[in-house]
């Protein structure tokens, strides 16, 4: 069974994440979208909201599971028996950042990081831009799946 985890904050999930997750389904038997819990970070959406947004967006896709975890991503991979970490790449800055994390993870555990290049149409989208648009009452709906709703 080829199982990957796609770790991130997903605050909130964007069409960029959606694209990467959708395309990963043809590569793996199961993809766990895993929300990392960082006690030091302030989030716009609660953990429950972030999980629900992702679950609702992938209701139709049985290969995709949504969970949360504390601690190191490689430890969580061992816990759920995942041999792969999935990450998305948008630009050279992502590459440099992701390279350091992937090398560190490889030092820590025999886990392969698999990178998918973002679709051109979603390459400019980030959760932080979406949060800025929301804070300033802009139309965020073109940047996120329909499941992302404000209270
Ligand atoms: P983090 O808090 O770890 O940055 P994110 O939820 O923002 O988590 O991102 C998780 C993963 O999704 C990362 O691999 C990131 O590069 C990727 N990603 C974010 N936005 C996009 C996008 N627009 N297109 C493709 N990948 C993306």
């Amino acid at each position: 069974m080829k199982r990957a985890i796609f770790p991130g904050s997903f605050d909130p999930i964007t069409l960029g994440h959606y694209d990467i997750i959708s395309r990963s389904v043809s590569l793996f038997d199961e993809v766990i979208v895993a929300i990392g819990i960082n006690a030091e970070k302030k989030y716009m959406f609660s953990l429950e909201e972030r999980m629900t947004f992702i679950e609702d967006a992938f209701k139709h896709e049985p290969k995709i599971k949504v969970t949360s975890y504390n601690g190191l991503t490689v430890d969580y991979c061992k816990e759920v028996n995942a041999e792969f970490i999935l990450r998305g790449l948008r630009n050279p800055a992502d590459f440099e950042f992701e390279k350091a994390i992937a090398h560190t993870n490889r030092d820590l555990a025999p886990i392969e990081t698999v990178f998918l290049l973002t679709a051109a149409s979603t390459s400019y989208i980030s959760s932080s831009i979406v949060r800025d648009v929301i804070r300033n009452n802009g139309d965020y709906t073109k940047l996120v799946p329909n499941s992302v709703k404000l209270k």
Side-chain angles (χ1 to χ4, degrees):
M1 167 110 163
K2 279 203 169 83
R3 185 180 286 120
I5 81 157
F6 185 41
S9 312
F10 306 103
D11 188 29
I13 181 171
T14 69
L15 289 181
H17 298 129
Y18 187 88
D19 167 64
I20 298 287
I21 299 167
S22 306
R23 283 160 51 215
S24 73
V25 162
S26 65
L27 300 174
F28 302 104
D29 300 308
E30 184 173 284
V31 177
I32 301 176
V33 183
I35 304 185
I37 299 170
N38 179 346
E40 317 249 286
K41 240 173 158 176
K42 281 257 169 264
Y43 298 102
M44 174 172 270
F45 295 96
S46 70
L47 179 60
E48 291 68 30
E49 288 174 309
R50 285 178 281 149
M51 290 184 81
T52 306
F53 294 158
I54 305 169
E55 281 161 1
D56 287 354
F58 290 102
K59 267 203 291 252
H60 57 285
E61 187 39 84
K63 280 184 170 184
I64 293 169
K65 306 266 178 310
V66 187
T67 61
S68 63
Y69 70 102
N70 282 289
L72 288 178
T73 305
V74 290
D75 288 341
Y76 187 61
C77 286
K78 283 182 214 155
E79 193 181 316
V80 298
N81 260 317
E83 288 172 281
F84 303 94
I85 294 175
L86 172 68
R87 296 291 280 179
L89 290 178
R90 286 166 289 191
N91 49 45
D94 270 358
F95 174 74
E96 288 302 329
F97 180 71
E98 295 291 341
K99 189 172 75 162
I101 298 177
H103 280 149
T104 307
N105 284 338
R106 276 290 286 284
D107 284 343
L108 296 172
I111 287 172
E112 287 294 348
T113 302
V114 175
F115 298 100
L116 288 183
L117 197 60
T118 175
S121 58
T122 56
S123 64
Y124 65 95
I125 303 176
S126 67
S127 294
S128 64
I129 288 182
V130 171
R131 292 195 299 273
D132 263 356
V133 172
I134 291 174
R135 267 188 218 106
N136 293 290
N137 303 312
D139 180 10
Y140 63 94
T141 58
K142 291 185 189 72
L143 306 171
V144 297
N146 290 334
S147 59
V148 175
K149 303 230 160 49
L150 303 188
K151 271 200 259 169

